[in-house]
Amino acid sequence: MVRLGDTLVLSGKLRQKDRYGRISTRVFSATGVSLNQAMVAAGHARPLRSGAIPKALKQTLEEAYAAAKSTRQGSWKSYPDVFGVWAGEN
């Protein structure tokens, strides 16, 4: 999805970390594609359920997550048990 040298646009509180040291941010390609949504829809990520996520984005990510799970995309296809445990589903 991203190659060395590609431009990314980050949006969010870039200095605020959660208790695990993660920074909750929105990441877009230079063409405006949401990498957050693309990764969740492809079954390679799950949306964070905590933190200050705008309501519309949270809904979009949750819908993409449910669709990826139900159609067994990405890790839901390759490693459903492991991904389910990691995602807090089991």
Side-chain angles (χ1 to χ4, degrees), residues 40-74:
V40 170
H44 299 300
R46 69 169 181 84
L48 288 177
R49 296 201 167 105
S50 61
I53 300 172
K55 188 175 181 177
L57 175 60
K58 183 174 183 170
Q59 181 176 346
T60 298
L61 293 177
E62 289 293 342
E63 289 170 1
Y65 179 74
K69 182 179 177 184
S70 70
T71 59
R72 299 180 56 89
Q73 298 297 310

Side-chain angles (χ1 to χ4, degrees), residues 1 35-47 61 63-80 82-84 86-87:
M1 292 175 64
L35 299 183
N36 306 74
Q37 185 175 350
M39 289 178 62
V40 170
H44 299 300
R46 69 169 181 84
L61 293 177
E63 289 170 1
Y65 179 74
K69 182 179 177 184
S70 70
T71 59
R72 299 180 56 89
Q73 298 297 310
S75 294
W76 286 115
K77 180 178 181 179
S78 304
Y79 310 101
V82 173
F83 195 67
W86 174 78

Side-chain angles (χ1 to χ4, degrees), residues 2-31:
V2 178
R3 292 187 174 91
L4 185 62
D6 284 356
T7 299
L8 298 176
V9 178
L10 305 178
S11 172
K13 296 179 180 177
L14 302 179
R15 297 187 189 277
Q16 185 176 341
K17 295 181 181 181
D18 69 7
R19 66 183 181 170
Y20 301 107
R22 300 175 298 194
I23 299 171
S24 179
T25 186
R26 296 173 69 183
V27 183
F28 298 92
S29 70
T31 60

